[in-house]
Amino acid sequence: MAKDRTIGVAMDFSKSSKNALKWTLDNLADKGDTIYIIHINQNSLDESRNQLWAKSGSPLIPLQEFREPEIMNKYGVQIDIEVLDMLDTASRQKEVCVCFFFNHFPFSLFFSFSAEFRQNGIQFRQRLFRSAYVFLLLLLRLLLSVQVHIVTKLYWGDAREKLLDAIEDLKLDSLVMGSRGLSTIQRIILGSVSNFVMTHASCPVTIVKDSSSSK
């Protein structure tokens, strides 16, 4: 499986978009990946912010800021507890992998040569420091590789156009969307955001259907 992918999830906090997020975290998210939570707000911002963010969208919002109501309120977004719980759970699960490695690493390897150099304290310390340095580099590399980076990006405007903008702006390798379960007649009259994006997107698009929706 390819590593270090960028995966977007279209999120409007509906049941279908939450299903898409859960499916992404359960089936796609892997160590080293970056998951972008993409929310399109059709309400206009105040004039100054609208000029700044109308085309490029909001700054990237890391998970720790996404948890803060006062930060999200300035973007006109209310925190959804269910979505936040899914993201926090995914983050904790990756941390468990790191702890497992750390707790089971054979630290005795650092000291296996201590008897050989017991008579030469300077040389022993040099070998020990070099070994510790190499281990810390490997551990840092592991920490970075097992982490799933979760970032939020907000846009304002038409969902169809802005999702296509997000694909280009964020250089997404794939996009995951929920299906609203529109009937054939509704799709003709109202149109389907997912169908539009699938037709025009420059990356693969996965549509996650609600298993409880009517066929």
Side-chain angles (χ1 to χ4, degrees), residues 4-211:
D4 302 331
R5 300 167 301 174
T6 55
I7 303 170
V9 180
M11 173 57 60
D12 62 3
F13 303 108
S14 64
K15 181 180 179 181
S16 60
S17 66
K18 292 176 185 179
N19 287 339
L21 175 60
K22 185 177 187 306
W23 184 90
T24 301
L25 296 175
D26 290 344
N27 298 280
L28 282 187
D30 200 1
K31 52 188 178 182
D33 291 343
T34 298
I35 307 297
Y36 288 101
I37 308 301
I38 303 168
H39 176 66
I40 315 298
N41 193 335
Q42 297 183 357
N43 297 325
S44 60
L45 291 168
D46 65 73
E47 187 174 348
S48 60
R49 286 178 178 169
N50 195 29
Q51 291 177 351
L52 180 63
W53 296 332
K55 292 185 178 180
S56 61
S58 72
L60 296 178
I61 305 171
L63 180 57
Q64 59 267 31
E65 293 185 9
F66 185 73
R67 297 187 183 104
E68 301 297 331
E70 59 272 18
I71 294 179
M72 300 310 297
N73 283 341
K74 74 178 183 180
Y75 296 113
V77 176
Q78 292 189 346
I79 291 178
D80 187 287
I81 299 301
E82 186 178 358
V83 170
L84 186 58
D85 182 64
M86 282 191 282
L87 297 176
D88 280 335
T89 299
S91 178
R92 287 196 301 269
Q93 287 175 343
K94 294 302 175 181
E95 292 174 356
V96 168
C97 295
V98 176
C99 294
F100 178 84
F101 173 87
F102 190 84
N103 290 334
H104 290 77
F105 187 86
F107 288 97
S108 59
L109 290 178
F110 285 148
F111 305 99
S112 62
F113 48 82
S114 60
E116 180 181 353
F117 296 100
R118 194 178 302 275
Q119 302 303 320
N120 191 334
I122 295 178
Q123 188 175 5
F124 169 72
R125 286 195 296 271
Q126 290 176 341
R127 288 282 302 275
L128 179 60
F129 290 153
R130 282 198 298 268
S131 299
Y133 177 72
V134 171
F135 167 71
L136 290 175
L137 287 179
L138 292 174
L139 180 60
L140 178 60
R141 186 174 181 178
L142 176 71
L143 287 170
L144 293 175
S145 66
V146 300
Q147 184 180 7
V148 170
H149 306 278
I150 300 174
V151 185
T152 300
K153 178 76 172 179
L154 308 177
Y155 291 89
W156 287 264
D158 182 84
R160 305 176 189 186
E161 296 178 359
K162 293 304 179 179
L163 284 173
L164 295 180
D165 289 345
I167 291 173
E168 301 302 324
D169 294 344
L170 305 174
K171 297 178 172 58
L172 297 182
D173 294 313
S174 64
L175 176 68
V176 181
M177 304 177 61
S179 173
R180 292 187 295 168
L182 297 178
S183 67
T184 302
I185 295 178
Q186 286 175 319
R187 287 193 184 97
I188 295 173
I189 298 176
L190 302 176
S192 168
V193 173
S194 57
N195 285 348
F196 181 88
V197 174
M198 285 185 68
T199 302
H200 297 89
S202 58
C203 71
V205 178
T206 300
I207 306 299
V208 179
K209 293 185 177 180
D210 184 359
S211 58

